[in-house]
Amino acid sequence: MRETIIQKVLDKKLIAIVRGVYGEDCLKLAEALYAGGVEMMEVTFDQSQPEKLSQTSDTVKLLCENLGDKMIFGAGTVTTIEMVQLAEDAGAQFIVSPDTNEAVIRKTVADGLVSMPGAMTPTEILQAHEYGADFVKLFPASALGPSYLKAVKAPISHVQILAVGGVNEQNLKSFLNAGAVGAGVGGNLVNKAWIAAGEFDKITAAAKAFTDQL
């Protein structure tokens, strides 16, 4: 299963990052994204509100049960091994973190899930790779820019890097051309105002604008 997920990321390249959207709204969001060609979604844990951790895992479970045959779902902002377990129990197939945490990476891989930790410097990127990460999330990508990614990739071309943070329709191709194997897109794709208004057709159109560039 791990190899299937890894190949899906390499083939489809785009992961939608969802924050603060739960339950049926998140299910409708996933359906709208899928209609626009997005087949991978990360649902993030809200670290500022620990009481919502279960809400995130419940949402991941709902998504997997209803759309698991069409899409791949993972959990984001995973910073402890306990959260890895919570996500895994809900059916998450990949784990995304904002940092390079050896324990989180090793548990993720040992449990058969795909690991996507965050890193910024060449040292952090190589550490994450050494710990067993399948992909390393360059974060914050937009603050660093495609030229930074290209420079970093020159000596460490063997590490598969995802660009995350500020990726939009205008810079997506630049990051891919600079060496990113894919990208995670949050607010520039998952517009909360559209979700609140039930304008899921706009989400689909936005998704298509991204996937048309791949």
Side-chain angles (χ1 to χ4, degrees):
M1 179 58 77
R2 262 172 48 78
E3 292 305 319
T4 301
I5 306 301
I6 290 169
Q7 194 57 52
K8 174 76 83 170
V9 175
L10 294 174
D11 290 343
K12 296 298 182 178
K13 302 188 182 304
L14 202 65
I15 300 172
I17 302 170
V18 181
R19 296 184 181 88
V21 183
Y22 306 103
E24 291 296 327
D25 279 347
C26 200
L27 184 58
K28 291 176 184 175
L29 170 61
E31 291 169 340
L33 290 168
Y34 182 77
V38 175
E39 298 182 19
M40 296 176 287
M41 178 193 281
E42 165 197 339
V43 184
T44 67
F45 285 106
D46 186 347
Q47 299 286 357
S48 67
Q49 300 184 65
E51 69 276 7
K52 286 194 172 181
L53 295 184
S54 61
Q55 196 172 7
T56 297
S57 60
D58 288 346
T59 296
V60 171
K61 184 177 181 181
L62 178 70
L63 293 168
C64 291
E65 289 174 347
N66 286 273
L67 295 171
D69 58 331
K70 297 178 179 179
M71 298 179 70
I72 293 171
F73 299 102
T77 319
V78 177
T79 55
T80 66
I81 58 173
E82 290 78 15
M83 292 171 72
V84 174
Q85 191 63 57
L86 190 61
E88 181 182 350
D89 291 344
Q93 294 171 295
F94 62 90
I95 298 294
V96 186
S97 303
D99 61 341
T100 299
N101 182 311
E102 181 178 3
V104 167
I105 295 168
R106 293 198 184 280
K107 177 172 175 57
T108 297
V109 175
D111 289 0
L113 308 180
V114 173
S115 172
M116 303 177 181
M120 178 178 173
T121 67
T123 298
E124 292 168 349
I125 291 168
L126 286 172
Q127 279 183 337
H129 181 71
E130 181 183 332
Y131 296 154
D134 299 290
F135 299 92
V136 178
K137 179 180 81 170
L138 180 66
F139 179 82
S142 64
L144 299 166
S147 59
Y148 177 86
L149 172 58
K150 185 176 181 179
V152 166
K153 281 286 288 184
I156 53 176
S157 58
H158 60 296
V159 180
Q160 298 186 135
I161 294 178
L162 300 169
V164 180
V167 177
N168 55 40
E169 301 99 315
Q170 286 73 45
N171 62 25
L172 173 61
K173 274 194 174 180
S174 295
F175 280 112
L176 296 177
N177 291 338
V181 299
V185 183
N188 289 314
L189 176 59
V190 183
N191 186 304
K192 286 190 178 180
W194 294 344
I195 296 169
E199 297 174 328
F200 292 99
D201 56 321
K202 292 184 178 180
I203 299 283
T204 298
K208 195 169 188 309
F210 274 96
T211 55
D212 280 350
Q213 298 184 53
L214 302 176

